[in-house]
Amino acid sequence: MTAQDLKNSILQLAVQGKLVPQNPDDEPASVLLEKIKAEKAQLVKDGKMKQGKPLPAITEDEIPFEIPESWCWCRVVDIAFLNSGNQYDECSDGILYIKVADMNLPGNQFDICTSSRRANVKATDIIPVGSIIFPKRGGAISTNKKRFVIREPICVDSNTMAMTVINGSILPYLSNWFNSIDLGKLATGTSVPQINNKDIYPLLVPLPPLAEQQRIVKKIEELLPMIETYGKAESELTAFNNRFPDDLKKSVLQYAVQGKLVEQRPEEGTGEELYQQILSEKQRLIKAGTIRKEKPLTEIAKDEKPFDIPEGWAWAKLGSLFSIERGSSPRPIQAYFTTSEDGVNWIKIGDSEVGAKYITSTSEKITHEGSKKSRFVNIGDFIISNSMSFGRPYIMAINGYVHDGWNIIHIMKCKNGLEFNKDYLYYVLSSSLLVEQMKDKAAGGVVKNVRSDSLRELIIPLPPLSEQQRIVEKAEELLQICDRLN
Amino acid sequence: MSLNNVVKSLQDVMRNDAGVSGDAQRIEQMVWILFLKVYDAKEYLWELYEDNFHSIIPEELRWRNWAVDKKDGKAMTGQALLSFVNEQLFPQLKEIELDEKTPMSKAIVKTAFEDSYNYMKDGILLRQVVNIIDEIDFTEYAERHAFNEIYEQILKDLQAQRSSGEFYTPRAVTDFMVQRLQPLLGESIGDFACGTGGFLTSTLKHLEPQIKTVEDKESYNRSVHGTEKKALPYLLCVTNLLLHDIDEPDILHGNSLEKNVREYKEDDRFNIILMNPPYGGNEKDSVKINFPVELRSSETADLFMDVIMYRLKKKGRAAIILPDGFLFGTDNAKSAIKAKLLSEFNLHTVIRLPHSVFAPYTSITTNILFFENNGATKETWFYRLDMPDGYKNFSKTKPMRLEHFDPVAEWWENRQAINIDGFDKAKAFTEEELKNRGYNIDLCGFPHEEEVILEPQALIENYEIKRASLNTKIDGILSEILEKLGVAE
């Protein structure tokens, strides 16, 4: 239930006569109505308003609900008159000239006090004090925006309509009744919604005795601040609830990379053993010339370890597990774009979707010439953006070439069934553990950057391979359940 | 061998025994054997001082007579040992006869064995386990309160423990709290969820230097009381106190929440209460019924706060560790509990502890509430203890130390408001101000809390408390609206 729902419900109660008790001593509404009809006749006689086409009497079938005895039904035409605005020439003196947008000016939230323009208009175009203005054209109608005119007369544009009460004392009640009407439902016209006089004049208005009107208005005014307080609390709750699923997912992933998600099984080996296997496989590939030899990395110091990991796990630097390099671009890049069949995929930041796991397509291709000056990424390699919103990893589902805004983590092909668990890697690289480390290492002033050297120094926790798989399975189960919270 | 190796060796041996599956059972297996060994060591001392000492344990069941391996090839092992343990040792110890006159020092043998069980099925392996334990020299370890270290090691293996919301309170924290409270010999100290007795032993450590006479020693022996619900920590607590020369450990094996708070008498009240109650539990109606309606929370920690308020003597003082949820939660029960705390007790200090104090068990942030039973609160000082320089977080290898509390100790006697970078670090609030906040007393908190990633359980608990608070707030507003509409009950 939003605050608006609550407000609507209370207004509905109000116009049905159920918000405040009736007082049998009140002068019945029929008397008030007669009085207003007489005032209207006088205005017509004085030429201040047009008679207009008479509308049919109210029939039983039209009446939407029962009203108390002392009330009576009438139509808008009986108690108010409508006016729409026009295009006027602006001038510096003159009365306030309100276009729909001006209703949003600061100070105008309740009634009109200011405008960005003024105009001088004929008497019949003046919207007098005692009016409610609202949009009558376009999408603005459905906002149900309404403003009082109670300080000074104004004029309005052709997209705005004004309802002016014949008897000023009913204005407060009438405006509350009017607030219970959804103008969006009254609008006609398919391409551009419009409200015309004929849509409003016939509307049925349940009219309470004047004294009761005052009690109703007072009650609503007492309730409004409470509804607002409710609205704030409800928004707070909604925002709070919306944050939670993401926070929970982050928490589950953090839990996973700390080794707390699944139990350790000594028969699966240790992270240290896995690490050694990877190192010797790397050596083999370097000897075979398949990968380049890289600068050796320093050992991980005790206080570099972010948290305690289970005994069977090991900390390892990314650079010792994988070969990492930065992308590069042929320049000027535009010269190398191509649409030809033998062009190669050119991976831009725009090809990556926030929250996605894979790069599946590129919008641009470059020529073979250009690719010589760039860096190749293979299917299965990881790429991480290194600036601005750094730290988002993606797994390549296609191959291609990357520019220097990307760092590449090459996942080498190993023998002996030694395979990296890509999903585990993906979780570790997306976890806050890595983001925190990257934040620490990011250099640069305005645009923070993570160099590939720094990326090599990042440490990740390494469980034995089978445990990695169990972690991934458990994590995915949990993440799916978390999704149901949305 | 060092204690760490002992536990590892024990686990290695037991892993080969088919009857012991999982860490929980391995630990239970270790604990009753440890108890018998410690108890035997104690009996040696008691025999020295008492002329007519008789063990409550039947002669042939005493550790010295069946467990000690004299290396002469005659030590009981294999099937003989198994039969002995299963058919004689356990049944008889469980059936020990007690009466009202039986001193605690003897009664504990029976209570220790009430919930114990021999899981091992291989008598030869059991002999190995007994031998490893027999080698431990407890006298040396007693000084280093190493038994808590054993339990810590054990808790580390017991992942299941995490779900119980029970965490071993680091020594630095218990020592700091005891220091602030300055227990005096002659005062009574209680912990109604004592776990392995960390607060009690910190207190004993503080009282020991005050012993000057034989009467003092008597006071010392009677100073601490604990209640513990779970069999395992109960057994370890009793053993722990024995190791601290408390011959009659006054530890109740039971649930502190199962007694109606209105039935507490002066005897049930204490001069000093030190506790770290379990968090996050969901208590059933059969427990909640022991509390006045307005103070009935479903959360265990809240109910413990109720118990504490009913069991603190006049002029008594308390220091309790509670999670953030207690501070920011404003559902009806929590608000009522805090209102009672502030109006009937003097909550003079709240220390906000940094995260990971309880690492590796949990990373949640906790707080120490200090209050006294000497009148209503006029003002409460909040103080945020920041992570010490050079620490990103505490961990098993870099735990919190007593020195890390030095800034609080310095500030304690000469309290000033402190503000850093626009965030309050230390500030006093009047009872009125706290009341006007709806008893949300989450003040002087850590500035970048949202960035710390809580583990799932703690995150979910905090979420539920906050959501309940928001719902309570909304319910309050909606009630007012209904009242205004004239439709309220």
Side-chain angles (χ1 to χ4, degrees), chain B residues 315-431:
Chain B
K315 304 232 188 82
R317 42 208 197 284
I320 315 292
I321 303 180
L322 288 169
D324 284 352
F326 184 80
L327 299 187
F328 68 71
T330 50
D331 63 53
N332 288 330
K334 283 195 170 60
S335 296
I337 293 172
K338 281 183 271 189
K340 182 178 169 86
L341 182 64
L342 289 169
S343 63
E344 294 177 26
F345 296 81
N346 179 9
L347 176 69
H348 55 86
T349 317
V350 174
I351 305 291
R352 316 293 313 260
L353 293 176
H355 63 88
S356 67
V357 166
F358 289 85
Y361 313 114
T362 175
S363 58
I364 64 169
T365 44
T366 50
N367 312 274
I368 312 177
L369 275 67
F370 291 90
F371 54 97
E372 299 183 10
N373 191 355
N374 61 358
T377 307
K378 298 226 179 44
E379 67 173 14
T380 307
W381 270 99
F382 287 76
Y383 179 97
R384 179 182 80 236
L385 177 60
D386 289 309
M387 227 15 157
D389 283 331
Y391 279 74
K392 259 195 151 164
N393 46 245
F394 296 116
S395 64
K396 183 106 214 283
T397 43
K398 278 172 93 182
M400 191 177 195
R401 299 200 305 271
L402 189 55
E403 306 87 86
H404 295 141
F405 281 99
D406 286 347
V408 191
E410 271 173 46
W411 167 88
W412 193 275
E413 297 302 334
N414 185 8
R415 300 181 175 200
Q416 307 279 347
I418 307 172
N419 185 301
I420 302 183
D421 293 339
F423 292 100
D424 285 322
K425 179 180 162 88
K427 191 165 171 195
F429 294 83
T430 63
E431 188 265 341

Side-chain angles (χ1 to χ4, degrees), chain A residues 168-183:
Chain A
S169 58
I170 67 167
L171 183 62
Y173 170 76
L174 193 66
S175 75
N176 276 303
W177 166 82
F178 199 32
N179 281 337
S180 76
I181 307 285
D182 180 3
L183 293 175

